Each structure stands twice: as structure tokens, then as C-alpha cells.
Amino acid sequence: MCGIAGIIGPNPSEAELQKMLQAQHHRGPDHTGTYFDPGFAAIGHNRLSIIDLSPDANEPFIDNSGRYYLSFNGEIYNYKELKEELKPHYNFKTSSDTEVLLAAFIYWGKECLNRFNGMFSFAIWDCREKKLFAARDRFGVKPFYYSEADKNLYFSSEIKTLKNVIFDTPPNLKVWANYFSYGSYGMPEETFYSNIKQLPGGYLLEYSEGRLKLEKWYNFVSRVQNIRSESSIEQAKAEYLELLKDSIKLRFRADVPVAFNISGGVDSSLLLALVNMFEDKQQVNAYSFYTGDKRYDELPWVEQMISTTQNPLHKVLFSASEVQTNAIKMSRQQDEPFGGIPTMAYSKIFEQAHANGVKVLLDGQGMDEQWAGYDYYQTSGSIIQGTGQNSPFRTHVLNPEFAALAQKTEYPEPFDNRLQNLQFRDLFYTKLPRALRFNDRVSMTYSTELREPFLDYRLVELAFAQPEGYKIKNGVGKYMLREILKPLVPSTISYAPKRPLQTPQREWLSQELKAFVEEKLLHLKNTSATDWFDHEKIQKEWKKYLAGDNTSSFHVWQWVNTALLL
């Protein structure tokens, strides 16, 4: 897990590349490498060593012929199997997945992407053809940002990296207006800044002689439609469980310690149960955060779960007194709006793991999207979990000219039923992309790698293709998943309800953090966003919130977060 950066064009500057690598040094503090092709390219890399810790696997990685230079962020989990296939065609010098990726590209060309099981964002410079090839994994677990400026193409793992060398990046007003009006975080190619784009998940990019070409390489819809879903529930359970075990086994491939994050929910309980089928329980550490507020903390469920497996459990406390410092730090790391106090509390896990010398963590992201776990799949179709009928937005505080820029997004509906279309939206446009971005920045802030075993593409495709009755039964989401979990854990866990709030954000904002919020609302007037709002109306809403109108705290967090970011 690392950081990638590069400048392709007639004037790639060594000084600019160094500034870019410095901005994302936290992503890979183990080694910083550069390659220069004067007048054509500057390629850089920040390395976090996970597989093959030797200097031979440092990047940019050069193939045996000296023609290709690779900068790669992520992991190819099935690299051992691919290496066996490629050995007759390539003479391997390292035991790294990096070299396997490059050898696969040289032998199979862009078709290599369909053979990779992993999370990845990489760029390969062909110094003979003077051409860049880059790609992002199927669901966009690993980031890839780019910008065209000064006749060059700049690319990187984080937005701040580009902003360190490109100065014409004002706020993207349409994306910000949609965020305040609809809770949208932008479409897959957009960011909150003009002139900075992202390569969507499942896309590749080619750049040569100043021409940029994007191509979709992963067709999720056709793959799902090719899966026969007539299996009985018992057959589907057996097939899914086998894939699940294989996915977890692959994600334990590392030359450094691996641990995992656990909440009290169905997903991480399943992860815990399966992890312990393969690994020595005494060796695999579990991490969980809590706030000391019994209304929200999941520790009782976590401790009940851990009592059956006896894994070492690290309980990480996040308190209101830490929010101010953490909010400033996380805003700087995220570059764009993020998910409030739950994201900050989650970051404490990675801080603690890093302090303990743990470099790799697993978590349970992705099950709600593939097995229909969110409450709104059965009700409103909203994109904010747990708000019921109450709108989490306060659009009347926006100045009319700014509010008019918002356009409610019409998401594609490639399937013939409402549920799969909502799941598709959440997988590729709303829920998952933003959660993956939050989690990537949170983990990399503390130089730790986060792996998502439930996002193995084989699992997502198979689950997605199952009939609605396997996903939701008698008003309970993730039905088949709970049935898989039932024999492995206590029933209080396998049928525990989805709990959307894990921190006392609503209470803290109006009580312990009241002064902090008021300071940020004042600060909002002095940012570049001041003209977006009617500040008197914001003050009225804030007073209403303090008086008890606090079913949702999202709007208050939006204003605070904007003041921190701009």
C-alpha cells in the first residue's frame, strides 16, 4: 500500500515531483523513489513495504528489459497463482506482487486487469513508446487523481498532492451545491475541486503525445447478468461461503503482521469467525473503538463475540476532547468532506495499530451494499442511513444563486428491478465510493494498509445476482448472510439489527463541542464559501438544534467540515 505520483508531458519538473511525493509521504514512509525520462515523464513512488520487504521490490519498479517503469498502490492478492502462470514467459527477480503485476502487463497487455484479484491503482510508463498506461481496481478501493495543466498530465494518490503543484483548483461549485442539497459526494469522475478529476473504479487510462483516453475495463452489469441465480438457498450459501473463505485466506498474504477491525455488527462478526478458521487466534489482534456512551457503543456485542474466540482485543477510546484536533487533522488528510465523528473515531484504530507495529488491518466494508443491509432499501431509497422520514439537509440556508447550481443526480438503472438498481447506485455512485475514500485516507494517515475481504469481486457479483428473497426476508436485510453466520456465533449477534450511529455525534455537537461548532460557524463567514450561505439562517438553525431539533446532525457537521476544509 503506497502512494503513486507522476508528471507526463514536455516539462516534467524534478522539483515538482519531489513536492508531490512529500505531500503524500505518510502513504509510504519506507522508501521514496523516482524515475525521470527528460522531456517526457517523471514517475514517483512512496512505499509502504508489505510483501517482499527487500529493497529489490522498491519502486518505480523496472522490468528486465528496462523498457517499463511501474508505480503501484495496492495489492494483487492472487499474485502467487499468476506468477506460476507467468514463469515460462518472464524471469522473476523478486518475490513481490509488484513484479507480477508488471510481468502480467507485459505478457497480457490490458487484459491483465481481468486476471487480477486485488485492490490497485497503478501507472506504467513505456519509455520506448513514450506512453502511459494506468488503471484502477473494479470498485475503486485505491485512489487515482489526475489533472491536465501546463501541457502536462499530473497524477497522484491524493488531491493534496496535486494541489501542491497545481494552483488553479477552485471549489467545484456544482459538486458542493449537490453535497448540501442532496448529500452527494460527486460522480465517480468528479472531485470537490475544479480541474482535479478521478479515474473511476473499473477504468483504465492511456496518455500519449498530449492525448488522454479513458476506457471502462470492468463491466459489472454483464458479469452479474451472466450468473445463474436459480440455485437453492442452500447451494447459494455453500458457494458464497467457499468464496468468502478463499477471499479471507488470500488477504492474509503479507510479510508483516495482520490484524482486523471489529464492530458489533453482522459483517465484522462473520469476519472474526472466518479469520479464526485460518489463523491462530492468539496471533490475530482485534481492534474496536468506543466512546464511553452506552447508547451508542458496540463494545457489549464485540466483547460477547470475542469471548467465544479469545482473540486479543484492543479497545480504543475516542472522547469528545479529541474531536477538535482530530477534525483539523482529518480534514487536511481527507481533502474533501468526510463522515464526521464516526470517521474520526475509526481513525483512532489505525493510530493505535500503527503504534503497536501493525501494518495491515482487515475490515468488513461492502456487505450492506451487496446483501441489501441498509434500512432505506425497504423504505425511502434515500442515501443517508438511519434518518427515516426526516430530511438531513437544510437547503433554505443556501443562497439562491448557489442552491440553483445543484442538480439532483439521475443514477443509471441497468437492472429490471428497484432493489438491484439501488444496490448498483450504492456500489458505484454513493455509499461505497465515499466509504472507501474515507477509509483509504484514514488508514494511510497512519501508514497502515486496509484490506476489504468482502469486496472480492467474485463475492460481490455472486451476492448481487441472488434473488431478492435471499437478501431481504420478513423485513430483515442481509438474510442469507445472517443464515451463514447463525451456526458460527450467538443468535443475538447473527440477528442483531443494523445500527447506523456508532458515536454520540448529535449530543457532542450541541454539548461538549458547542464552542468548537460556534467558532467554525464564525470561521465559515471568512472562507471562500461565505457567499454560498445565508449566515443568519444558519444561526437560526443552530439555535433550533441546541433547543432539541436534532434528529439529524448531518447539516451541522456539513457546515463545520466546510469551514475546516476551505
Side-chain angles (χ1 to χ4, degrees), residues 411-462:
Y411 298 103
E413 296 189 342
F415 295 94
D416 62 6
N417 62 87
R418 175 184 177 274
L419 181 63
Q420 281 189 318
N421 284 328
L422 281 177
Q423 289 181 275
F424 181 74
R425 177 199 72 181
D426 283 358
L427 267 173
F428 291 99
Y429 294 91
T430 57
K431 280 286 192 185
L432 193 65
R434 74 181 185 230
L436 292 174
R437 191 250 295 167
F438 298 167
N439 293 354
D440 173 80
R441 302 308 180 278
V442 157
S443 60
M444 296 312 297
T445 295
Y446 297 104
S447 309
T448 51
E449 174 171 292
L450 180 62
R451 297 181 174 183
E452 314 279 14
F454 298 156
L455 284 179
D456 188 306
Y457 71 96
R458 301 168 301 168
L459 288 172
V460 181
E461 291 169 3
L462 181 63

Coordinates of all heavy atoms in Angstrom, one line a residue, residues 411-462:
Y411 N -29.2 8.5 -11.4 CA -28.3 7.4 -11.5 C -28.7 6.4 -12.5 O -29.9 6.1 -12.7 CB -28.1 6.8 -10.1 CG -27.6 7.7 -9.0 CD1 -28.4 8.3 -8.1 CD2 -26.2 8.1 -9.1 CE1 -27.9 9.2 -7.2 CE2 -25.7 9.0 -8.1 CZ -26.6 9.6 -7.2 OH -26.1 10.5 -6.3
P412 N -27.8 5.7 -13.1 CA -28.2 4.6 -14.1 C -29.0 3.5 -13.4 O -28.8 3.2 -12.2 CB -26.8 4.1 -14.6 CG -25.8 5.0 -14.2 CD -26.3 5.8 -13.0
E413 N -29.9 2.9 -14.2 CA -30.7 1.8 -13.7 C -30.6 0.7 -14.7 O -31.6 0.4 -15.4 CB -32.2 2.3 -13.4 CG -32.3 3.4 -12.4 CD -33.7 3.7 -12.0 OE1 -34.6 3.3 -12.7 OE2 -33.9 4.3 -10.9
P414 N -29.5 -0.1 -14.6 CA -29.3 -1.1 -15.7 C -30.1 -2.4 -15.4 O -30.1 -3.3 -16.3 CB -27.8 -1.3 -15.6 CG -27.4 -1.0 -14.2 CD -28.4 0.1 -13.7
F415 N -30.7 -2.5 -14.2 CA -31.4 -3.8 -13.9 C -32.9 -3.6 -14.0 O -33.4 -2.5 -14.0 CB -30.9 -4.3 -12.5 CG -29.5 -4.6 -12.4 CD1 -28.5 -3.7 -12.0 CD2 -29.0 -5.9 -12.9 CE1 -27.2 -4.0 -12.0 CE2 -27.7 -6.2 -12.8 CZ -26.7 -5.3 -12.4
D416 N -33.6 -4.7 -14.0 CA -35.1 -4.7 -14.2 C -35.8 -4.6 -12.9 O -37.0 -4.9 -12.9 CB -35.5 -5.8 -15.1 CG -35.3 -7.2 -14.4 OD1 -34.8 -7.2 -13.2 OD2 -35.5 -8.2 -15.0
N417 N -35.2 -4.3 -11.8 CA -35.9 -4.2 -10.5 C -35.3 -3.2 -9.6 O -34.1 -2.8 -9.7 CB -35.9 -5.6 -9.8 CG -34.4 -6.0 -9.5 OD1 -33.9 -5.7 -8.4 ND2 -33.8 -6.8 -10.4
R418 N -36.1 -2.6 -8.7 CA -35.8 -1.5 -7.9 C -34.6 -1.8 -6.9 O -33.7 -1.0 -6.8 CB -37.0 -1.1 -7.0 CG -36.7 0.0 -6.0 CD -37.9 0.3 -5.2 NE -37.6 1.3 -4.1 CZ -37.1 1.0 -2.9 NH1 -36.8 -0.2 -2.6 NH2 -36.9 2.0 -2.0
L419 N -34.6 -3.0 -6.3 CA -33.6 -3.3 -5.3 C -32.2 -3.4 -5.9 O -31.3 -2.7 -5.4 CB -33.9 -4.7 -4.6 CG -32.9 -5.0 -3.6 CD1 -32.8 -4.0 -2.4 CD2 -33.1 -6.4 -3.0
Q420 N -32.0 -4.1 -7.0 CA -30.7 -4.2 -7.7 C -30.2 -2.8 -8.2 O -29.0 -2.5 -8.1 CB -30.7 -5.2 -8.8 CG -30.6 -6.6 -8.3 CD -30.4 -7.6 -9.5 OE1 -31.0 -7.5 -10.5 NE2 -29.5 -8.6 -9.3
N421 N -31.2 -2.0 -8.7 CA -30.8 -0.6 -9.1 C -30.3 0.2 -7.9 O -29.3 1.0 -8.1 CB -31.9 0.0 -9.9 CG -32.0 -0.5 -11.3 OD1 -31.1 -0.9 -11.9 ND2 -33.3 -0.6 -11.8
L422 N -30.9 0.1 -6.8 CA -30.5 0.8 -5.6 C -29.1 0.3 -5.1 O -28.2 1.1 -4.8 CB -31.5 0.7 -4.4 CG -32.7 1.6 -4.5 CD1 -33.6 1.2 -3.3 CD2 -32.4 3.1 -4.4
Q423 N -28.9 -1.0 -5.1 CA -27.6 -1.6 -4.8 C -26.5 -1.1 -5.7 O -25.4 -0.8 -5.3 CB -27.7 -3.1 -4.8 CG -28.6 -3.7 -3.7 CD -28.6 -5.2 -3.8 OE1 -29.4 -5.8 -4.5 NE2 -27.6 -5.9 -3.1
F424 N -26.9 -1.1 -7.0 CA -25.9 -0.7 -8.0 C -25.5 0.8 -7.8 O -24.3 1.1 -7.8 CB -26.5 -0.8 -9.4 CG -25.6 -0.4 -10.6 CD1 -24.6 -1.3 -11.0 CD2 -25.8 0.8 -11.3 CE1 -23.7 -0.9 -12.0 CE2 -25.0 1.1 -12.3 CZ -24.0 0.3 -12.7
R425 N -26.5 1.6 -7.5 CA -26.2 3.0 -7.2 C -25.2 3.1 -6.0 O -24.2 3.9 -6.0 CB -27.5 3.8 -6.8 CG -27.3 5.2 -6.4 CD -28.6 5.7 -5.7 NE -28.6 5.1 -4.3 CZ -29.6 5.4 -3.5 NH1 -30.6 6.2 -3.8 NH2 -29.6 4.9 -2.3
D426 N -25.5 2.4 -4.9 CA -24.7 2.4 -3.7 C -23.3 1.9 -3.9 O -22.3 2.4 -3.3 CB -25.4 1.7 -2.6 CG -26.5 2.5 -2.0 OD1 -26.7 3.6 -2.4 OD2 -27.2 2.0 -1.1
L427 N -23.2 0.9 -4.8 CA -21.9 0.3 -5.0 C -20.9 1.2 -5.8 O -19.7 1.2 -5.6 CB -22.0 -1.0 -5.8 CG -22.1 -2.4 -5.0 CD1 -22.5 -3.5 -6.0 CD2 -20.8 -2.7 -4.3
F428 N -21.5 1.9 -6.8 CA -20.6 2.6 -7.8 C -20.8 4.1 -7.7 O -19.9 4.8 -8.3 CB -20.9 2.1 -9.2 CG -20.5 0.7 -9.5 CD1 -21.4 -0.4 -9.4 CD2 -19.1 0.4 -9.7 CE1 -20.9 -1.7 -9.6 CE2 -18.7 -0.9 -9.9 CZ -19.6 -1.9 -9.8
Y429 N -21.8 4.6 -7.0 CA -22.0 6.1 -7.1 C -22.1 6.8 -5.7 O -21.8 7.9 -5.6 CB -23.3 6.4 -7.9 CG -23.2 6.0 -9.3 CD1 -23.5 4.7 -9.8 CD2 -22.6 6.9 -10.3 CE1 -23.4 4.4 -11.1 CE2 -22.5 6.6 -11.6 CZ -22.9 5.3 -12.0 OH -22.7 4.9 -13.3
T430 N -22.6 6.1 -4.7 CA -22.9 6.8 -3.5 C -22.2 6.2 -2.2 O -21.1 6.6 -1.9 CB -24.4 6.9 -3.2 OG1 -25.0 5.6 -3.2 CG2 -25.1 7.7 -4.3
K431 N -22.8 5.2 -1.6 CA -22.3 4.7 -0.3 C -20.8 4.2 -0.4 O -20.0 4.7 0.4 CB -23.2 3.5 0.1 CG -24.5 3.9 0.8 CD -24.2 4.5 2.1 CE -25.5 4.7 2.9 NZ -25.3 5.3 4.2
L432 N -20.6 3.2 -1.3 CA -19.3 2.6 -1.3 C -18.1 3.5 -1.7 O -17.1 3.6 -1.0 CB -19.3 1.3 -2.1 CG -18.1 0.4 -1.9 CD1 -18.0 -0.1 -0.5 CD2 -18.1 -0.7 -2.9
P433 N -18.3 4.3 -2.8 CA -17.2 5.2 -3.1 C -16.7 6.1 -2.0 O -15.6 6.3 -1.8 CB -17.7 5.9 -4.3 CG -18.7 5.1 -4.9 CD -19.4 4.4 -3.8
R434 N -17.7 6.7 -1.3 CA -17.3 7.7 -0.2 C -16.7 6.9 1.0 O -15.8 7.4 1.6 CB -18.5 8.6 0.1 CG -19.6 8.0 1.0 CD -20.7 9.0 1.2 NE -21.7 8.5 2.1 CZ -23.0 8.6 1.8 NH1 -23.4 9.1 0.7 NH2 -23.9 8.2 2.7
A435 N -17.3 5.8 1.3 CA -16.7 5.0 2.5 C -15.3 4.6 2.2 O -14.4 4.6 3.0 CB -17.6 3.8 2.8
L436 N -15.1 4.1 0.9 CA -13.7 3.7 0.5 C -12.7 4.9 0.6 O -11.6 4.7 1.0 CB -13.7 3.1 -0.8 CG -14.4 1.7 -0.9 CD1 -14.5 1.2 -2.4 CD2 -13.8 0.7 0.0
R437 N -13.2 6.1 0.2 CA -12.3 7.2 0.2 C -12.0 7.6 1.7 O -10.9 7.8 2.1 CB -12.9 8.4 -0.5 CG -12.0 9.6 -0.7 CD -12.3 10.8 0.1 NE -13.5 11.4 -0.2 CZ -14.1 12.3 0.5 NH1 -13.5 12.7 1.6 NH2 -15.2 12.9 0.2
F438 N -13.1 7.7 2.5 CA -12.8 8.0 3.9 C -11.8 7.0 4.5 O -10.8 7.4 5.2 CB -14.1 7.8 4.8 CG -15.3 8.7 4.4 CD1 -16.5 8.4 4.9 CD2 -15.1 9.8 3.6 CE1 -17.6 9.2 4.6 CE2 -16.2 10.6 3.3 CZ -17.5 10.3 3.8
N439 N -12.0 5.7 4.2 CA -11.2 4.6 4.9 C -9.8 4.6 4.3 O -8.8 4.4 5.1 CB -11.8 3.3 4.7 CG -13.1 3.1 5.4 OD1 -13.5 4.0 6.2 ND2 -13.8 2.0 5.2
D440 N -9.6 4.9 3.0 CA -8.2 4.9 2.5 C -7.4 6.0 3.2 O -6.3 5.8 3.6 CB -8.3 5.2 1.0 CG -6.9 5.4 0.4 OD1 -6.2 4.4 0.1 OD2 -6.5 6.6 0.2
R441 N -8.0 7.2 3.3 CA -7.2 8.4 3.9 C -7.0 8.1 5.4 O -5.9 8.4 5.9 CB -8.0 9.7 3.7 CG -8.3 10.1 2.3 CD -7.1 10.1 1.3 NE -7.6 10.5 0.1 CZ -8.2 9.7 -0.8 NH1 -8.3 8.5 -0.6 NH2 -8.7 10.2 -1.9
V442 N -8.0 7.6 6.1 CA -7.8 7.3 7.5 C -6.7 6.3 7.7 O -5.8 6.5 8.6 CB -9.2 6.8 8.1 CG1 -9.0 6.0 9.3 CG2 -10.1 7.9 8.3
S443 N -6.7 5.2 7.0 CA -5.7 4.2 7.2 C -4.3 4.7 6.8 O -3.3 4.5 7.5 CB -6.0 2.9 6.4 OG -6.1 3.2 5.1
M444 N -4.2 5.4 5.6 CA -2.9 5.8 5.1 C -2.3 7.0 5.9 O -1.1 7.2 5.9 CB -3.0 6.2 3.7 CG -3.4 5.1 2.7 SD -2.4 3.6 3.0 CE -0.8 4.1 2.6
T445 N -3.2 7.7 6.6 CA -2.7 8.8 7.5 C -1.7 8.2 8.5 O -0.7 8.8 8.9 CB -3.9 9.4 8.3 OG1 -4.7 10.1 7.4 CG2 -3.4 10.4 9.3
Y446 N -2.0 7.0 8.9 CA -1.1 6.3 9.9 C -0.3 5.2 9.3 O 0.1 4.2 10.0 CB -2.0 5.8 11.1 CG -2.7 6.9 11.8 CD1 -4.0 7.2 11.6 CD2 -2.0 7.8 12.6 CE1 -4.7 8.2 12.3 CE2 -2.6 8.8 13.3 CZ -3.9 9.1 13.1 OH -4.5 10.1 13.7
S447 N -0.1 5.3 8.0 CA 0.8 4.4 7.3 C 0.4 2.9 7.5 O 1.3 2.1 7.8 CB 2.3 4.6 7.6 OG 2.6 5.9 7.5
T448 N -0.9 2.6 7.5 CA -1.4 1.3 7.6 C -2.2 0.9 6.4 O -2.8 1.8 5.8 CB -2.2 1.1 8.9 OG1 -3.2 2.1 8.9 CG2 -1.4 1.1 10.1
E449 N -2.2 -0.4 6.0 CA -2.9 -0.9 4.9 C -4.2 -1.4 5.3 O -4.3 -2.3 6.2 CB -2.1 -1.9 4.1 CG -2.8 -2.6 3.0 CD -2.0 -3.5 2.1 OE1 -1.1 -2.9 1.5 OE2 -2.1 -4.7 2.2
L450 N -5.3 -1.0 4.7 CA -6.7 -1.6 5.0 C -7.1 -2.5 3.8 O -7.2 -2.1 2.7 CB -7.7 -0.4 5.2 CG -9.1 -0.9 5.5 CD1 -9.1 -1.6 6.8 CD2 -10.0 0.3 5.5
R451 N -7.4 -3.7 4.2 CA -7.9 -4.7 3.2 C -9.3 -5.0 3.4 O -9.8 -5.1 4.5 CB -7.0 -6.0 3.3 CG -5.6 -5.8 3.0 CD -4.8 -7.1 3.0 NE -3.4 -6.9 2.6 CZ -2.5 -7.8 2.5 NH1 -2.8 -9.1 2.8 NH2 -1.3 -7.6 2.1
E452 N -10.1 -5.2 2.3 CA -11.5 -5.4 2.3 C -11.9 -6.7 1.8 O -12.2 -6.8 0.6 CB -12.2 -4.3 1.5 CG -11.7 -2.8 1.7 CD -12.3 -2.2 3.0 OE1 -12.9 -2.9 3.8 OE2 -12.2 -1.0 3.1
P453 N -11.8 -7.8 2.6 CA -12.1 -9.1 2.0 C -13.5 -9.3 1.4 O -13.7 -10.1 0.5 CB -11.9 -10.1 3.2 CG -11.9 -9.2 4.4 CD -11.4 -7.9 4.0
F454 N -14.5 -8.6 1.9 CA -15.8 -8.7 1.4 C -16.0 -8.0 0.1 O -17.1 -8.2 -0.5 CB -16.9 -8.2 2.4 CG -16.8 -8.9 3.8 CD1 -17.3 -8.3 4.9 CD2 -16.4 -10.2 3.9 CE1 -17.3 -9.0 6.1 CE2 -16.4 -10.9 5.1 CZ -16.8 -10.3 6.2
L455 N -15.0 -7.3 -0.4 CA -15.1 -6.7 -1.7 C -14.4 -7.4 -2.8 O -14.1 -6.9 -3.8 CB -14.6 -5.2 -1.6 CG -15.6 -4.2 -1.0 CD1 -14.9 -2.8 -0.9 CD2 -16.9 -4.2 -1.7
D456 N -14.1 -8.7 -2.5 CA -13.6 -9.6 -3.6 C -14.6 -9.6 -4.6 O -15.8 -9.8 -4.4 CB -13.4 -11.0 -3.0 CG -12.7 -11.9 -4.0 OD1 -13.2 -12.0 -5.1 OD2 -11.7 -12.5 -3.6
Y457 N -14.3 -9.3 -5.9 CA -15.3 -9.1 -6.9 C -16.1 -10.3 -7.1 O -17.3 -10.3 -7.5 CB -14.6 -8.7 -8.3 CG -13.8 -9.7 -8.9 CD1 -14.3 -10.5 -9.9 CD2 -12.5 -10.0 -8.6 CE1 -13.6 -11.5 -10.6 CE2 -11.7 -11.0 -9.2 CZ -12.3 -11.7 -10.2 OH -11.5 -12.7 -10.8
R458 N -15.6 -11.5 -6.9 CA -16.3 -12.8 -7.1 C -17.5 -12.8 -6.1 O -18.6 -13.2 -6.4 CB -15.4 -14.0 -6.8 CG -14.2 -14.0 -7.8 CD -13.2 -15.1 -7.3 NE -12.7 -14.8 -6.0 CZ -12.0 -15.7 -5.2 NH1 -11.7 -16.9 -5.7 NH2 -11.5 -15.3 -4.0
L459 N -17.2 -12.3 -4.8 CA -18.3 -12.3 -3.8 C -19.4 -11.3 -4.2 O -20.6 -11.6 -4.1 CB -17.7 -11.9 -2.5 CG -16.8 -12.9 -1.7 CD1 -16.2 -12.2 -0.5 CD2 -17.7 -14.1 -1.3
V460 N -19.0 -10.1 -4.6 CA -19.9 -9.0 -4.9 C -20.8 -9.4 -6.0 O -22.0 -9.3 -6.0 CB -19.2 -7.7 -5.2 CG1 -20.2 -6.6 -5.4 CG2 -18.3 -7.3 -4.0
E461 N -20.2 -10.0 -7.1 CA -21.0 -10.4 -8.2 C -22.0 -11.5 -7.9 O -23.2 -11.4 -8.3 CB -20.1 -10.9 -9.4 CG -19.3 -9.8 -10.0 CD -18.1 -10.3 -10.9 OE1 -18.0 -11.5 -11.1 OE2 -17.4 -9.5 -11.4
L462 N -21.6 -12.5 -7.1 CA -22.4 -13.6 -6.8 C -23.6 -13.1 -5.9 O -24.7 -13.5 -6.1 CB -21.6 -14.7 -6.0 CG -22.4 -16.0 -5.6 CD1 -23.0 -16.7 -6.9 CD2 -21.6 -16.9 -4.8

